[in-house]
Amino acid sequence: MDTKLLYIDTIGCQMNVYDSEQFAKGLRPLGYTLTSSLDTADLVIVNTCSIREKAQQKAFSFLGRLATLKRKNPDLIIGVGGCVAQQEGGRILERMPHLDFVFGTHAVGRLPKIVKEIELKRQSFVDIDNSGGMDGLEPIAVMPSAEDNQSPIRFVTIMRGCDNHCTYCVVPHVRGREVSRNPENILKEIRNLVKSGVREITLLGQNVNSFGKKEGSCSFPELLFQIHDIEDLLRIRFTTSHPKDLSRNLIDAFSDLDKLCRHIHLPVQSGSNLILRRMNRKYKREEYLEKVDRLHSIYPDIAISTDIIVGFPGETPEDFDRTLDLIKQVEYDNLFAFKYSDRSHAPATGYPGKVSELVKKERLEAVLDLGKKYAAKKNRTLIGSTELILVEGFSKKQRKSVLDRKINGRQWSGRTSTNKIVNFTNGRGSESNDGISKGQMIRVQIDKASVHSLSGTVKDSISHAAGNPLRLSAGSLKGGESYVAQS
Ligand code: 5AD
Ligand code: SF4
């Protein structure tokens, strides 16, 4: 079989990253291998996002630029997947005739068949059928290959769609009703990932707390317990938990499950009850703060991050002040903030009281500034502490070879259990043989802190003794009894 080159451009969230990996796996039996060079590709797939206008524009502008490439190489096949594909369907092909096919969020499993058809018939094709529930959404079972992402950390989508209908959000329209995957398939997938060297997984879903509810399979905490039993898996993360559904069982799971990282992403969106009601978030500011307090009082070292939308229709300066005030109360470890963006099919698009771009920009800057202040404060408290890090790979600076001369040896990167990026070296100045490798658990002494990351020096590496509990947050590391220091 001829080897053909596949280039995938992924825009948007972690779910799209996961889906793009599925595209590559599914197309491997057709002879496609991944390339990072657009110019040499035989097939280009753009995995799109429509959560905000900006993401959608990014997709269209990249797709538009592909026209030149198609003129140079008329045999090139170009496909569009993801949320914009689902939303726009055939209209994309009308607007951009140089594209060959459009496949929606429920057509991931059908991609190989679609590409085969196009290779044979060279006719444009649209598949945005979303009537099949989880059919075609289970990942394609292919043996891992050298071409696979070699990172020790991976995403695993456990459910798709959303039934919450927040009034600003296009997800329920483009991703459809909530559907959970079969727990056995999830476990099988994670076991295979671990066999191929993966040590940390992040479970993905729009609202992980409703996992399995409709299907009557197992609950999300039960799933966590089963995943926790997988040998050689060192860390488990998940995102996202809707604040209205954050259950007692899930909160308890943080103490029961040593591998569960001490971080929770809890999007609040606004600090004003009026706006929360109009967003259809189904919780009040007070209820949210109560849950945060409970988390902080049980786990003083837990990191909490959030999403905030500024300039939702009708948001007054007083409403906005309530948001700033809530950020001050919670002191988030990290926050993501967005200017409200009208989405077709989202009810808030029709709401009166639109906030001007200028005001949205000012409010966004104020939220981001405040967010940075607390992120820096939280990071500073870690200076001098020893943190357990799972080595993910070389640091950005090392990859770009822009290290300053004062740094001793190769610089690696990983995260704390609380999801903070740590860049580190072994401090001995040895370039090639510093004894550090991807997927290793390492103890790092934190020397410096900035808003976005920490840096430090290795104290020792840790090997995970099978069956031993793994509590990986620094706050509860007392002497490291359960770990075996490696030479
Ligand atoms: N405008 C701005 N931000 C949005 N988000 C979702 N929809 C919109 C929108 N229409 C943000 C929310 C969500 C995050 C993933 O994107 O904060 O949590
Ligand atoms: Fe969108 Fe709300 Fe569902 Fe999140 S919970 S995907 S914001 S509708």
Side-chain angles (χ1 to χ4, degrees):
M1 197 191 321
D2 288 348
T3 299
K4 296 170 278 186
L5 296 176
L6 164 67
Y7 180 94
I8 305 180
D9 185 66
T10 307
I11 303 169
C13 68
Q14 298 143 329
M15 284 202 178
N16 273 9
V17 173
Y18 177 82
D19 283 349
S20 290
E21 284 178 9
Q22 305 309 313
F23 300 169
K25 275 191 193 170
L27 291 170
R28 202 178 294 151
L30 270 66
Y32 285 97
T33 57
L34 278 173
T35 176
S36 54
S37 142
L38 185 57
D39 291 331
T40 58
D42 300 289
L43 168 62
V44 174
I45 297 181
V46 184
N47 196 1
T48 60
C49 167
S50 63
I51 194 97
R52 286 171 294 277
E53 183 60 28
K54 219 166 142 191
Q56 188 160 328
Q57 276 167 0
K58 195 170 161 192
F60 278 121
S61 99
F62 183 70
L63 288 167
R65 289 203 302 277
L66 292 176
T68 322
L69 209 62
K70 183 85 166 198
R71 270 197 299 276
K72 274 197 231 155
N73 173 15
D75 289 337
L76 174 69
I77 301 174
I78 308 176
V80 190
C83 294
V84 179
Q86 186 67 41
Q87 187 180 288
E88 301 294 317
R91 285 196 295 270
I92 303 183
L93 296 182
E94 284 163 23
R95 187 170 157 184
M96 298 189 173
H98 60 282
L99 308 179
D100 297 278
F101 68 99
V102 175
F103 65 111
T105 50
H106 286 61
V108 180
R110 298 190 288 270
L111 177 65
K113 210 168 137 225
I114 297 172
V115 171
K116 219 186 232 169
E117 281 280 307
I118 304 223
E119 285 180 337
L120 286 173
K121 297 192 187 144
R122 295 278 159 179
Q123 262 172 16
S124 60
F125 193 90
V126 176
D127 180 348
I128 52 167
D129 181 6
N130 61 0
S131 55
M134 208 64 199
D135 285 357
L137 293 181
E138 279 296 338
I140 302 145
V142 186
M143 283 312 286
S145 91
E147 184 203 317
D148 282 334
N149 175 355
Q150 296 295 301
S151 169
I153 62 166
R154 291 290 269 280
F155 299 126
V156 174
T157 295
I158 59 165
M159 58 201 296
R160 293 179 182 265
C162 184
D163 289 348
N164 281 321
H165 299 286
C166 302
T167 55
Y168 52 80
C169 189
V170 74
V171 168
H173 176 69
V174 287
R175 294 256 169 191
R177 306 289 292 178
E178 201 171 87
V179 195
S180 297
R181 285 180 61 195
N182 174 321
E184 273 313 312
N185 290 345
I186 297 171
L187 290 165
K188 216 186 292 168
E189 182 181 354
I190 299 174
R191 279 191 208 108
N192 281 337
L193 286 171
V194 171
K195 264 188 222 146
S196 71
V198 170
R199 293 290 170 265
E200 173 185 308
I201 48 132
T202 302
L203 305 170
L204 303 177
Q206 306 294 349
N207 184 9
V208 290
N209 255 299
S210 10
F211 178 84
K213 273 192 188 152
K214 271 189 188 169
E215 290 75 11
S217 52
C218 69
S219 69
F220 182 60
E222 282 163 359
L223 180 71
L224 286 175
F225 272 85
Q226 294 183 41
I227 295 173
H228 193 265
D229 283 344
I230 298 177
E231 211 177 305
D232 293 332
L233 177 69
L234 300 183
R235 283 181 163 183
I236 307 167
R237 301 182 189 274
F238 63 85
T239 191
T240 295
S241 188
H242 193 299
K244 79 173 160 56
D245 297 320
L246 177 62
S247 68
R248 185 81 228 185
N249 284 350
L250 183 54
I251 295 179
D252 288 346
F254 284 102
S255 29
D256 297 333
L257 304 175
D258 298 305
K259 297 178 183 178
L260 191 59
C261 289
R262 294 264 172 144
H263 166 231
I264 188 161
H265 186 63
L266 215 50
V268 66
Q269 313 297 0
S270 169
S272 152
N273 280 338
L274 217 94
I275 298 294
L276 286 172
R277 184 149 47 83
R278 301 234 301 274
M279 286 177 163
N280 192 31
R281 289 293 288 175
K282 302 187 185 110
Y283 54 82
K284 289 199 170 127
R285 166 197 176 93
E286 294 74 20
E287 288 157 344
Y288 180 91
L289 286 171
E290 212 175 278
K291 290 192 177 175
V292 167
D293 278 349
R294 200 181 318 149
L295 280 164
H296 273 151
S297 64
I298 309 179
Y299 312 108
D301 60 340
I302 201 165
I304 303 181
S305 58
T306 202
D307 290 342
I308 286 179
I309 297 178
V310 298
F312 185 80
E315 186 187 67
T316 62
E318 292 72 35
D319 292 318
F320 180 62
D321 280 346
R322 300 294 283 153
T323 299
L324 293 179
D325 181 72
L326 181 134
I327 297 171
K328 288 177 195 161
Q329 277 200 48
V330 178
E331 301 200 351
Y332 289 104
D333 289 76
N334 197 8
L335 67 76
F336 302 87
F338 312 99
K339 288 190 278 182
Y340 167 78
S341 161
D342 272 342
R343 309 313 296 132
S344 51
H345 303 284
T349 301
Y351 288 7
K354 292 283 152 61
V355 175
S356 75
E357 270 306 307
L358 183 68
V359 171
K360 281 197 263 189
K361 189 169 169 274
E362 284 168 5
R363 291 182 185 173
L364 182 72
E365 278 166 15
V367 166
L368 290 175
D369 282 350
L370 201 56
K372 278 186 204 157
K373 180 180 144 186
Y374 291 113
K377 181 178 163 190
K378 296 261 161 145
N379 283 353
R380 269 197 311 273
T381 62
L382 296 178
I383 295 177
S385 71
T386 300
E387 291 285 316
L388 270 170
I389 311 295
L390 176 73
V391 185
E392 293 177 18
F394 288 132
S395 72
K396 251 193 206 156
K397 279 190 177 171
Q398 178 77 40
R399 287 199 306 267
K400 290 188 185 155
S401 302
V402 291
L403 286 182
D404 88 43
R405 293 230 176 87
K406 282 177 263 161
I407 288 179
N408 260 341
R410 296 188 294 186
Q411 195 183 53
W412 293 85
S413 187
R415 276 171 302 154
T416 61
S417 170
T418 50
N419 209 30
K420 294 173 196 300
I421 296 169
V422 182
N423 297 315
F424 56 92
T425 64
N426 78 350
R428 294 200 300 267
S430 158
E431 272 290 323
S432 54
N433 188 16
D434 56 12
I436 302 173
S437 54
K438 277 188 203 176
Q440 209 178 8
M441 198 60 87
I442 238 163
R443 232 194 299 246
V444 174
Q445 159 109 32
I446 306 299
D447 309 321
K448 274 194 216 149
S450 68
V451 175
H452 301 294
S453 65
L454 302 160
S455 56
T457 318
V458 174
K459 282 193 97 171
D460 50 39
S461 61
I462 308 292
S463 81
H464 156 227
N468 269 350
L470 273 175
R471 168 51 70 208
L472 301 178
S473 80
S476 56
L477 180 73
K478 296 186 192 82
E481 313 84 339
S482 337
Y483 310 99
V484 183
Q486 275 180 344
S487 55

